[in-house]
Amino acid sequence: MNNNKKGFITRSLHASFPKDDAYNALHMPVYDGVAYEFDTAEEIAGTFSGKKFAHVYSRTSNPTVEYFEKKMLAVSDAHAAIALASGMAAISNVLLSLVEQGGNIVASNHLFGHSYALLKQTLPSLGIEVRFADMTDLSTVEVATDAKTRVYFFETITNPQLEIVDLKQLSALAKNKGVAVVCDSTITPPYVFQSKSFGVDVEVMSTTKFISGGAAAFGGIVLDNGTYDYSKLPALKEWADKYETNALVARIRKEIFRHLGGSMTAHTAHFMNLGLDIMPLRVERCVENCKQLASFFESHNKVVQYNYPGVVGNKGYELAQAQFDGKPGAVMTFDLESKEACYRFFNRLKLVRKATNLNDNKTLIIHPESTIYAEFSDFEKSAMGVRPTMMRLSVGIEDCEDLINDFNEALQ
Ligand SMILES: *Cc1c(COP(=O)(O)O)cnc(C)c1O
């Protein structure tokens, strides 16, 4: 962390607008318009030729969205940022911009379901090869890498396994092989994780989760740390000649997302701008609740095991301390003696909400084996660490005593 910088919340709250507001509004207004007007032929021509920046059409750029990008730059060490319609839009746009037909991606075998499907179905159908590897065992990553490997793609903490990649080791391997390191850090946003200092080149996040402020709106962001030399990539060589370290964001904005239509709306950006300011307060509260719930699970005789990398004794504890400031998100899992016990417990809950999302302000619970992973075979489920006895929690910001009371009664 750069000590010359002010704190996260101060930087977010007081990020200046890209341009002075006509009415001196204290909040960045929601610029809901689609098109922007110019005074002269010279001005509009200058903008189209790229000599001078101005907003032209909101599918490509918008002032409220630009402000969100500016705030994300203010709270991270990133060099360039671009906001998109969803986390999936951010992930797909980055991968489509970095990898050419015939190139390949080495990806973690434990991924968010739709990311996995993108890599398994959609990208291969476009001629981009994907190889899955165990990112916690770098020898499998090394074996999968060849001269056409462009990207290592993984999540900072996998879900529901809660496995943590050793980023310094992975990025050392990537540097050695000339591969770009792209991580999905949805569960560990910039308040707890400074990706650049761990050798990550590009961060993608679903801002739907922690950043939106309680699952208020869909969104995604790409943060480019400016550390990768894009002239080495066939897909970005020409862009790098013109835009140098901004090549990735330039290609997304001027080609991929403009043509596929994946931009964030001004209304969504407004939610993100509000949510980001108070995200640290919510993250602290969630992590505190996770730790209290961990002690509750530890002492309860009906809980067979639980998993949260924020507590001493967990296999991910040391990496969670080193990489995520000891605040490894708000997802935890626990096991009861049988699937029947899980269903019975689930049906008896009164306060905790039964839903699949993550990082809502409300605590959410799901039985992954019978829902998110229902379409997988027993063998695949077991390979992914998805047990019939396991429940997944996304811990919210309620008063923890109320959560514990609800769990206690449902476990009776
Ligand atoms: C939710 C999620 C996504 C997808 O984000 P959307 O905003 O729903 O498109 C991607 N990665 C992770 C880790 C997620 O939790």
Side-chain angles (χ1 to χ4, degrees):
M1 183 81 153
N2 183 344
N3 287 325
N4 297 326
K5 279 187 177 172
K6 295 193 169 61
F8 186 104
I9 296 184
T10 310
R11 279 182 275 147
S12 177
L13 265 179
H14 295 283
S16 57
F17 298 165
K19 206 170 173 180
D20 287 345
D21 179 65
Y23 302 98
N24 295 326
L26 264 175
H27 264 301
M28 180 69 184
V30 180
Y31 283 95
D32 219 3
V34 172
Y36 304 83
E37 192 179 17
F38 293 80
D39 285 335
T40 63
E42 289 75 13
E43 254 186 66
I44 196 164
T47 302
F48 273 75
S49 71
K51 281 203 196 81
K52 188 172 162 281
F53 174 77
H55 297 287
V56 176
Y57 191 74
S58 284
R59 175 158 44 71
T60 310
S61 72
N62 166 283
T64 313
V65 178
E66 182 189 19
Y67 184 52
F68 174 52
E69 294 163 347
K70 200 171 170 207
K71 280 166 84 93
M72 289 303 301
L73 289 175
V75 299
S76 67
D77 296 327
H79 165 79
I82 183 164
L84 296 100
S86 66
M88 287 315 301
I91 295 167
S92 57
N93 274 259
V94 162
L95 298 177
L96 285 170
S97 300
L98 289 172
V99 191
E100 81 288 5
Q101 200 177 32
N104 71 63
I105 297 168
V106 176
S108 167
N109 52 2
H110 292 161
L111 289 173
F112 173 72
H114 296 164
S115 302
Y116 184 75
L118 169 76
L119 290 157
K120 185 92 185 159
Q121 300 161 3
T122 317
L123 295 183
S125 78
L126 299 172
I128 294 170
E129 195 196 331
V130 182
R131 302 157 176 195
F132 293 95
D134 177 356
M135 292 279 171
T136 62
D137 174 3
L138 290 188
S139 64
T140 72
V141 178
E142 191 160 4
V143 167
T145 307
D146 66 15
K148 291 200 162 179
T149 303
R150 310 300 178 214
V151 170
Y152 289 157
F153 179 70
F154 57 94
E155 292 164 14
T156 48
I157 304 183
T158 69
N159 149 33
Q161 305 84 10
L162 306 182
E163 281 170 0
I164 302 178
V165 177
D166 186 324
L167 293 169
K168 287 207 161 140
Q169 281 187 17
L170 182 74
S171 61
L173 175 67
K175 297 282 167 304
N176 184 283
K177 302 277 182 191
V179 174
V181 178
V182 179
C183 76
D184 176 338
S185 53
T186 298
I187 289 190
T188 56
Y191 174 61
V192 302
F193 175 47
Q194 277 77 48
S195 67
K196 188 173 174 179
S197 49
F198 291 95
V200 169
D201 297 304
V202 179
E203 236 183 307
V204 290
M205 264 172 273
S206 165
T207 64
T208 314
K209 312 292 167 54
F210 265 134
I211 293 173
S212 78
F218 273 111
I221 188 105
V222 176
L223 296 176
D224 185 339
N225 285 326
T227 45
Y228 190 81
D229 175 4
Y230 292 120
S231 66
K232 289 195 295 198
L233 291 180
L236 283 176
K237 170 89 187 63
E238 280 173 28
W239 293 88
D241 291 345
K242 189 159 176 203
Y243 297 98
E244 300 173 358
T245 49
N246 289 321
L248 172 64
V249 162
R251 185 175 183 206
I252 294 176
R253 196 180 296 283
K254 291 170 188 293
E255 182 192 342
I256 305 291
F257 112 131
R258 190 163 78 181
H259 298 171
L260 299 183
S263 47
M264 178 179 275
T265 69
H267 272 279
T268 295
H270 181 61
F271 278 117
M272 300 305 166
N273 288 332
L274 299 177
L276 183 65
D277 289 339
I278 55 166
M279 181 184 71
L281 307 179
R282 288 182 278 110
V283 170
E284 291 288 352
R285 173 79 168 211
C286 290
V287 169
E288 187 49 41
N289 279 354
C290 286
K291 289 183 178 170
Q292 287 192 35
L293 285 172
S295 333
F296 168 75
F297 292 142
E298 177 79 43
S299 66
H300 202 290
N301 61 7
K302 289 204 174 142
V303 176
V304 178
Q305 56 172 314
Y306 68 92
N307 190 5
Y308 180 61
V311 293
V312 185
N314 185 283
K315 68 179 186 320
Y317 179 76
E318 272 78 29
L319 280 175
Q321 292 291 317
Q323 298 180 170
F324 312 123
D325 194 22
K327 295 163 192 160
V331 177
M332 59 196 303
T333 64
F334 60 95
D335 286 58
L336 300 178
E337 62 174 5
S338 64
K339 183 166 174 173
E340 294 67 38
C342 288
Y343 271 41
R344 184 167 175 276
F345 163 76
F346 189 85
N347 292 338
R348 288 170 60 106
L349 287 166
K350 293 199 175 88
L351 178 71
V352 172
R353 310 296 272 264
K354 296 146 182 145
T356 167
N357 197 19
L358 300 181
N359 306 130
D360 195 305
N361 285 335
K362 302 180 186 81
T363 297
L364 310 180
I365 193 162
I366 192 135
H367 180 253
E369 191 265 339
S370 61
T371 55
I372 307 170
Y373 295 91
E375 287 169 23
F376 290 85
S377 69
D378 286 350
F379 177 78
E380 286 171 312
K381 286 178 190 170
S382 142
M384 284 189 282
V386 177
R387 298 174 295 274
T389 52
M390 182 177 77
M391 305 291 314
R392 185 191 81 185
L393 270 181
S394 165
V395 177
I397 60 172
E398 293 95 338
D399 301 274
C400 201
E401 256 185 52
D402 297 326
L403 295 174
I404 289 176
N405 286 339
D406 198 33
F407 286 140
N408 231 338
E409 281 169 28
L411 281 169
Q412 302 259 307

